[in-house]
């Protein structure tokens, strides 16, 4: 089966298909860029795909700079350094290329390029977004190289405040990249373990959005189909990284998850955010490990919804079918069963519980857990008490 090449305009302009990264210079031109800054992570910066993207831009007459000083969980300092590079280079737009960390940092750099206030003034609390000088924001073209966060279609960035040891969500509706390139060829070299962890992140977005109590039927439908695509194509992408069909479908499922979570997320992310801040662990892997523990804790509140999901996914018609599928999927693609297996203990359990209860994602979990309940949920995931 050939991999389709298509253009979509929801939730933004999307160019999907193999080889579409060749259209990067044209996309920059469409947004009025003459001197784009390509923002990526250190690992990708050394790979041919980044050099090729820069070369293509330069051949098209664009003066393309590069910034790659970004951690796996991007920090406020990373964003500040990127803004400095943007201003010193006289850039007029941002190319966001990489996984969720690079995309989040790039979007935050584009936001901050023309602001006078500090980054944390735009945290997603109350009406802080009204503080943004919209005219000062830089345009963004996004090209994800992993299928997980869906940050390329997101209106926010998750940035670590190292001083406070907390992840903060920076939000403005105009942070949504104006043009997105979903090219599966950019994801072919992704190792199986990262393919698995990022793919489970896409599943977590779709699943938590689907279980959210917020009324948003469009997001519900998107999440439902996103999970079906993960079920069908994630094992294929892990088993054969060169399978362009599986890679393309996972890129789309990832974008669908980030589109759907306008409906909200839940306890997986409420726990994953503090754990990422405290332990600098991979976000997608954290969600993958936490998933069955949160699903079991929530299932009494969303039983009818999970039954409908099981029917859609063609799972056995019995209680717990979705949980059993998640457990089987994780085992099949090599996801650890406990947080202890990735070096996280429960020494800070009470602190994690308090941080999770205060996290914005907790507000749309199907069950309103207290800090003490989040502490116990975290301990269960550390020790494997399912």
């Amino acid at each position: 089966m050939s991999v389709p090449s298509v253009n979509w305009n929801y939730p933004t302009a999307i160019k999907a298909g193999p080889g579409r990264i060749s259209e990067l210079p044209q996309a920059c031109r469409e947004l009025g860029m003459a001197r784009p800054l390509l923002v990526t992570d250190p690992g990708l910066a050394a790979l041919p795909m980044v050099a090729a993207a820069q070369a293509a831009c330069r051949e098209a007459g664009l003066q393309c700079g590069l910034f790659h000083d970004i951690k796996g969980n991007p920090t406020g300092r990373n964003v500040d350094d990127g803004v400095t590079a943007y201003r010193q280079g006289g850039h007029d737009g941002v190319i966001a290329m990489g996984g969720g960390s690079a995309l989040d940092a790039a979007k935050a750099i584009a936001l901050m390029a023309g602001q006078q206030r500090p980054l944390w003034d735009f945290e997603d609390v109350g009406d802080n977004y009204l503080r943004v000088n919209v005219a000062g924001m830089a345009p963004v073209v996004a090209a994800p190289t992993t299928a997980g966060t869906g940050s390329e279609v997101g209106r926010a960035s998750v940035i670590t405040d190292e001083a406070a040891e907390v992840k903060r969500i920076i939000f403005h509706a105009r942070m949504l990249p104006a043009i997105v390139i979903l090219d599966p060829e950019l994801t072919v070299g992704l190792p199986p373990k990262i393919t698995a962890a990022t793919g489970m992140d896409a599943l977590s977005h779709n699943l938590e959005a689907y279980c959210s109590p917020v009324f948003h039927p469009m997001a519900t439908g998107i999440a439902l189909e996103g999970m079906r695509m993960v079920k069908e194509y994630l094992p294929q992408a892990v088993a054969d990284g060169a399978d362009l069909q599986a890679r393309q479908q996972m890129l789309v499922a990832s974008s669908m998850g980030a589109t759907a979570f306008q409906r909200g997320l839940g306890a997986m992310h409420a726990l994953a955010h503090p754990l990422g801040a405290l332990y600098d662990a991979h976000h997608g892997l954290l969600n993958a490990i936490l998933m069955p523990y949160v699903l079991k804790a929530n299932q009494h509140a969303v039983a009818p919804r999970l039954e409908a999901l099981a029917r859609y996914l063609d799972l056995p018609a019995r209680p717990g079918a979705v949980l059993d599928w998640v457990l089987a999927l994780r085992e099949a693609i090599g996801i650890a069963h406990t947080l202890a297996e990735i070096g996280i203990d429960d020494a800070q359990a009470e602190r994690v519980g308090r941080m999770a209860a205060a996290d914005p994602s907790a507000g749309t979990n199907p069950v309103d857990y207290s800090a003490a309940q989040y502490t116990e949920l975290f301990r269960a995931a550390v020790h494997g008490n399912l």
Side-chain angles (χ1 to χ4, degrees), residues 15 71 73 97 102 133 184 192 213 233 237 240 265 268 275 314 329:
K15 303 173 186 297
K71 296 181 65 176
N73 286 295
M97 190 173 188
N133 171 17
Y233 293 104
D240 180 7
L265 291 167
M268 292 177 215
L275 292 177
D314 198 24
L329 173 62

Side-chain angles (χ1 to χ4, degrees), residues 208 266-275 287 352 355-357 359-362 374:
E208 290 211 293
M268 292 177 215
H269 282 78
L271 284 164
H273 287 153
L275 292 177
N287 279 324
V352 170
M355 292 173 72
D359 190 90
S361 298
Y374 271 112

Side-chain angles (χ1 to χ4, degrees), residues 314-335:
D314 198 24
L315 300 176
R318 55 178 170 74
V322 173
L323 176 59
D324 290 343
W325 165 63
V326 167
L327 289 169
L329 173 62
R330 292 196 324 163
E331 184 175 3
I333 61 177
I335 298 294

